[in-house]
């Protein structure tokens, strides 16, 4: 099972997107664990080896360099969720992007 983490300012604004991603995964019979957390908790998740891919919410895109410094040494892929997909709550598209990063 792959673990997809979405990180935003407080971990709450991405919860609706997580729900839509889970629905898309269920419809496609994809076995993934998807969770939203505040960016302040990313370091703990990485240290616990609980991340296969990290997606940053557009509102915290300014933290991309900091996340790269944390994740690149552990070969954990990461990206920023597109503003359009985030705004439209396009769970299917964001799930596809996360899975592409894992492969």
């Amino acid at each position: 099972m792959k673990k997809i983490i979405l990180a935003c300012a407080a971990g709450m604004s991405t919860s609706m997107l997580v729900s839509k991603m889970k629905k898309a995964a269920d419809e496609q019979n994809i076995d993934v664990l998807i969770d939203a957390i505040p960016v302040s908790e990313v370091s703990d998740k990485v240290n616990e080896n609980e991340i296969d891919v990290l997606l940053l919410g557009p509102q915290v895109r300014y933290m991309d360099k900091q996340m790269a410094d944390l994740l690149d040494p552990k070969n954990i892929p990461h990206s920023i969720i597109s503003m359009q997909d985030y705004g439209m709550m396009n769970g299917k598209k964001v799930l596809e992007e996360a899975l592409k990063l894992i492969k």
Side-chain angles (χ1 to χ4, degrees):
M1 176 180 294
K2 298 297 181 187
K3 297 175 186 169
I4 301 170
I5 302 295
L6 279 62
C8 68
M12 296 186 321
S13 62
T14 53
S15 61
M16 188 184 330
L17 183 56
V18 166
S19 296
K20 296 200 178 236
M21 289 173 70
K22 286 179 180 179
K23 182 179 180 198
D26 288 344
E27 289 171 355
Q28 299 174 57
N29 293 318
I30 298 171
D31 192 23
V32 292
L33 176 67
I34 308 168
D35 199 9
I37 62 171
V39 289
S40 60
E41 293 180 13
V42 171
S43 181
D44 292 339
K45 289 284 186 187
V46 169
N47 291 333
E48 295 165 8
N49 294 317
E50 291 190 20
I51 296 179
D52 288 307
V53 64
L54 175 78
L55 299 177
L56 283 175
Q59 70 276 35
V60 292
R61 72 166 46 92
Y62 66 91
M63 296 191 75
D64 188 45
K65 170 76 170 93
Q66 183 179 346
M67 292 298 111
D69 292 344
L70 176 69
L71 300 170
D72 289 350
K74 296 184 178 277
N75 296 315
I76 298 171
H78 53 91
S79 184
I80 300 168
I81 301 168
S82 90
M83 184 73 87
Q84 182 176 356
D85 291 335
Y86 190 86
M88 299 291 289
M89 290 287 142
N90 190 340
K92 181 178 179 186
K93 181 81 182 291
V94 176
L95 176 65
E96 288 171 2
E97 293 300 317
L99 294 173
K100 282 183 198 173
L101 289 169
I102 294 173
K103 293 180 180 177

